[in-house]
Amino acid sequence: EAGVAQSPRYKIIEKRQSVAFWCNPISGHATLYWYQQILGQGPKLLIQFQNNGVVDDSQLPKDRFSAERLKGVDSTLKIQPAKLEDSAVYLCASSDIRGQLAKNIQYFGAGTRLSVL
Amino acid sequence: DQQVKQNSPSLSVQEGRISILNCDYTNSMFDYFLWYKKYPAEGPTFLISISSIKDKNEDGRFTVFLNKSAKHLSLHIVPSQPGDSAVYFCAATKNYGQNFVFGPGTRLSVLP
């Protein structure tokens, strides 16, 4: 079974530029998550999708961050314009809602490391 | 407001001994807890979980204990192996799958 795919693996941009990250979840997983992990901290949930609907985006800085999941499969996360403090690893995860406990287990991609200069 | 805390940034243990990683939480609405392991340049991988209706869950060398009254959980690894060296994250969720919150992680080093 293929895992969660993310691209690119690394991205370096200057502040005020825009950037986009792509995620393809495990086939059949209805729930998709985007996390931001700043160095030395745990992952922070930015947005959670159930199919193509948003379940939780309470911690997404909506003035500069946006995310979409068209057709309920792959997803893109965009930052526009980027700030220095956006430097972090952006992790995508997916989970299977079938089964009471299975939906709690998230499978993570390797992440995209963003450096904003 | 850090809802999930892992107060030990790092831990070193001899191979073959027990590793105990601790996690505290503040929100009594959390009803499901998970441990993830992370190697460098990889995403976190699921290790073990426990529901709030239980106080212990075991899977091979890994056991998670939950003390709801103290809002505390711990991960025991017995025996510890060098391949267990990684960063361990404690995570909590409400409504069995909503509002995931991760702790800051503990770096475990298992020394041969």
Side-chain angles (χ1 to χ4, degrees):
Chain A
E1 180 183 72
V4 176
Q6 289 189 247
S7 67
R9 285 300 308 273
Y10 305 93
K11 191 73 177 178
I12 301 174
I13 61 172
E14 295 188 349
K15 59 183 179 184
R16 291 188 288 273
Q17 286 187 321
S18 62
V19 64
F21 314 124
W22 175 83
C23 173
N24 190 21
I26 292 173
S27 178
H29 281 193
T31 308
L32 185 147
Y33 313 78
W34 281 103
Y35 287 88
Q36 179 193 59
Q37 186 178 15
I38 293 172
L39 187 64
Q41 299 181 17
K44 172 185 149 185
L45 179 66
L46 293 176
I47 189 166
Q48 177 179 344
F49 291 96
Q50 183 82 7
N51 296 307
N52 59 352
V54 175
V55 173
D56 180 5
D57 64 356
S58 57
Q59 298 194 92
L60 186 74
K62 298 180 185 66
D63 57 335
R64 297 185 301 107
F65 286 63
S66 64
E68 60 182 10
R69 191 183 183 198
L70 300 176
K71 301 179 182 178
V73 181
D74 56 356
S75 176
T76 56
L77 175 69
K78 297 179 182 177
I79 308 175
Q80 182 179 12
K83 293 185 175 181
L84 297 177
E85 59 261 35
D86 298 332
S87 295
V89 174
Y90 290 85
L91 294 162
C92 178
S94 69
S95 65
D96 188 350
I97 63 169
R98 292 169 295 181
Q100 175 67 14
L101 298 181
K103 66 180 181 180
N104 295 288
I105 300 173
Q106 298 175 42
Y107 298 86
F108 284 84
T112 296
R113 181 176 296 277
L114 174 67
S115 297
V116 182
L117 307 178
Chain B
D1 176 29
Q2 203 173 24
Q3 298 186 68
V4 177
K5 303 175 185 178
Q6 294 176 258
N7 291 322
S8 298
S10 63
L11 175 69
S12 292
V13 171
Q14 285 294 131
E15 181 179 3
R17 308 292 279 269
I18 184 172
S19 295
I20 300 177
L21 295 94
N22 293 305
C23 176
D24 296 289
Y25 61 95
T26 58
N27 193 331
S28 57
M29 298 299 292
F30 289 138
D31 53 20
Y32 201 76
F33 304 89
L34 308 94
W35 285 94
Y36 282 82
K37 179 170 73 173
K38 186 181 182 306
Y39 294 120
E42 296 182 11
T45 55
F46 171 74
L47 197 56
I48 192 170
S49 61
I50 187 166
S51 164
S52 60
I53 62 174
K54 295 186 174 182
D55 55 18
K56 177 182 175 181
N57 189 26
E58 198 169 352
D59 183 4
R61 297 186 297 113
F62 304 91
T63 303
V64 56
F65 295 92
L66 175 62
N67 182 335
K68 281 184 63 178
S69 60
K71 295 191 178 67
H72 176 82
L73 62 157
S74 60
L75 174 68
H76 292 211
I77 306 174
V78 183
S80 300
Q81 300 173 353
D84 296 330
S85 296
V87 177
Y88 289 78
F89 293 101
C90 172
T93 177
K94 303 175 194 174
N95 301 318
Y96 289 94
Q98 307 294 329
N99 310 113
F100 275 88
V101 180
F102 280 76
T106 295
R107 181 178 300 278
L108 174 66
S109 299
V110 180
L111 309 173

